[in-house]
Amino acid sequence: MRTIDHWIDNDLVPSTSGNTAPVFNPATGEQQAVVGLASVAEVDAAVASAKAAAVEWRKSSLSKRAAIMFKFHQLVEENRDKIAELVSIEHGKVPSDAAGELARGIENIEFACGIPQLLKGGYSEQAATGIDVYNIKQPLGVVAGITPFNFPAMVPMWMFANAIACGNTFVLKPSEKDPSVTLFLAELLKQAGLPDGVFNVVQGDKVAVDRILEHPDISAVSFVGSTPIAKYIYSTGTANGKRVQALGGAKNHMVVLPDADIDMAADAAVSAGYGSAGERCMAISVVVTVGDAHDRLVEAIRDRLPQVKVGPGTDPANDMGPLITAEHRDKVASYLEGAPGEGATVLVDGRTADLPEQGFFLGASLIDDVKPGMRCYEEEIFGPVLSVMRVDTYEEAVDLINRHQYGNGTAIFTRDGGAARQFQFDIQVGMVGINVPIPVPVAYYSFGGWKNSLFGDSNMYGPAGIEFYTRTKTVTSRWPDPSTSSVDLGFPQTR
Ligand code: NAD
C-alpha cells in the first residue's frame, strides 16, 4: 500500500507516529493509500524547519521572491493535467471540476507574483518639520494553514502563495482525506527554487491541528473547513495569542425573481448545485423562487437532471463524481430520507438513480416545498441535493436569507438592475452574485463570508491576505540638519 509522507526541509519525511488514516479512491470505494498522521514531535520538526528558514527567507529580495513565484506559476501551468489527476483520484471530482479548481488556485500564484508592488507601504514627508513618517509591512514568521478536503489544491494556494511571498515560512496541514496533491505542489515549489524549510507539509488529524494551535513559534493560522471546527480553531488559536482567520461552512441561496431568464437560472442552479457533487462551500444549496418563477424554474431544473451524468472522475464524459467517503454519502442521503417526514417533497431522489455499483456515489437530487426549521434547510448538506423554497415577495426572500445562520455566498437572478442593486444592499452575506451563481471573488479581491461562515475579521487571499500575513511597522524619522554636521558637507543653512 502506498504511503503518504510529510514534507519537511524540502524533502519527503515518512511519519513515525504509528498513527495512520486510509485514503480511498471514492470512485471505487477501495483504499488506495495510507497517510501517516503526525505526532506532536513531527509537527515540532516541521515548525523547527520553518523557523530556521524564516531567518534567511525574510531577508530575500522582493525580486527573488517574485521570480520564484513566477517560476512556480510556470511549473504549475506545465503540470496542470497531473495536478488535476492527483486531485481527481483522491477527491473524486471530474476532470473539468479539478481543472476549474486549479485555475482558481493559479490566480493566487499570479497575484503573489506582484509582491514587490503589494508590499509597498506609505510615506508622509514632513509630518512635522524635518520629520518623516512611513510604514513597512514585515512578515509574521512561521504561519500555518489547515485545509479541507473539497479543494485540496486551490485552498492551500489561497494561503501559501501570499504567505510565502510576504516573507513568511509556511506549515500546511492538509485534509487527511486527499493529501497527495500538496506533496506534488511542494515538489514544484522546490523546483522553482524555494529554499529548504520555507514550505512544509505535515499530514495529520486533530493531534497535528492542536499542536499547531498551541505551538509558540507559529504566529498565525489560516483555516478553511466546517463551522464547528472553524469556531474551535478561532477560539483556541486566538486564546493562544495567534492571529487567526477561520472560514466555515455555508448554505448558499439563489433567489430567482419572476422576471429572470429562466433557462439561464436553471442552467446556473444545476451547475452550481451539482458541480463537484455539491461539495463546494459556494455551491448553491437552496433556490428561492419568488412568485410565479416557481413552477417554470422547477420544471426547467427537473428537465435538466437526467442529463447530469454521474460516474468516475476518470471518464471526462461524466458531469458529477462520487462523494468523498461512504459515511458522507450516507449522511447526505439521510436528508433525502428525512425530508418527506418534515413536509418536503422529494422530486428527484438521487438514491434511486442509475449509479455505478462501486464507490461513494449519489445521484443529483431535488427537494421542493422546503421550509425554515426543516433539517434539510437549517444544516449544511454538502452534497448533490438542491432544495427549492417558494416565497411570494422579494422581501420574504431577503428575510429568509438574512435569518439563516450562514452567510457565505448568495445570488439573485433577475433582468432588473434596480432589484439587483437593492439585493446587494439588503443582503447579509459576504459574497453576492448578480446572475452569477458562484460569486467566488477573483484573486485581486478577497474571499470571505459573514455570520457563521467566517470567524475573525480577516477575509482570505487578495489584499486581505497580504494584510493578514504581514504586520505593519511605522517609523517616525528625523535626521540632524546636514548643515550642522561637524564635517563640512557643503550644505547651505537651509532650515
Ligand atoms: P472539516 O472541518 O472536517 O476539516 C477541515 C480541516 O480540519 C481538516 O484539515 C481536518 O483534518 C481538520 N479537522 C477536522 N476535525 C477536526 C477536529 N475535531 N479538530 C481539529 N481539526 C480538525 O471540513 P471538511 O469536511 O474537510 O471540508 C468541508 C467543509 O469545509 C464544509 O463545511 C465546507 O463548507 C467548508 N469549506 C468552507 C470554505 C470557505 O471558504 N468558507 C471553503 C471550502 C470548504
Side-chain angles (χ1 to χ4, degrees), residues 376-398:
C376 65
Y377 179 64
E378 300 299 337
E379 297 177 12
E380 179 180 37
I381 298 178
F382 219 55
V385 178
L386 204 52
S387 296
V388 189
M389 304 178 87
R390 181 200 295 254
V391 296
D392 291 330
T393 64
Y394 163 85
E395 275 86 5
E396 280 177 67
V398 168

Side-chain angles (χ1 to χ4, degrees), residues 147-150 173 176 223-226 229 248-249 281 380 382 447:
T147 52
F149 79 82
N150 66 322
K173 205 302 284 172
E176 61 275 41
F223 173 85
V224 175
S226 60
I229 311 299
C281 64
E380 179 180 37
F382 219 55
F447 183 107

Side-chain angles (χ1 to χ4, degrees), residues 250-256 265 269-270 272-274 278 283-289 294 297-298 301 305 332 335-336 338-340 342 344-348 364-391 400 404:
K251 189 85 180 177
N252 305 311
H253 299 68
M254 169 174 152
V255 176
V256 182
V270 169
Y274 305 109
I284 291 296
S285 179
V286 185
V287 176
V288 185
T289 56
H294 186 86
L297 186 71
V298 169
I301 293 175
L305 292 197
V332 173
Y335 290 96
L336 297 165
E342 293 188 288
T345 311
V346 179
L347 290 180
V348 181
S365 304
L366 187 62
I367 312 181
D368 199 2
D369 303 319
V370 171
K371 303 257 174 353
M374 293 180 180
R375 198 174 144 250
C376 65
Y377 179 64
E378 300 299 337
E379 297 177 12
E380 179 180 37
I381 298 178
F382 219 55
V385 178
L386 204 52
S387 296
V388 189
M389 304 178 87
R390 181 200 295 254
V391 296
L400 196 61
H404 205 281

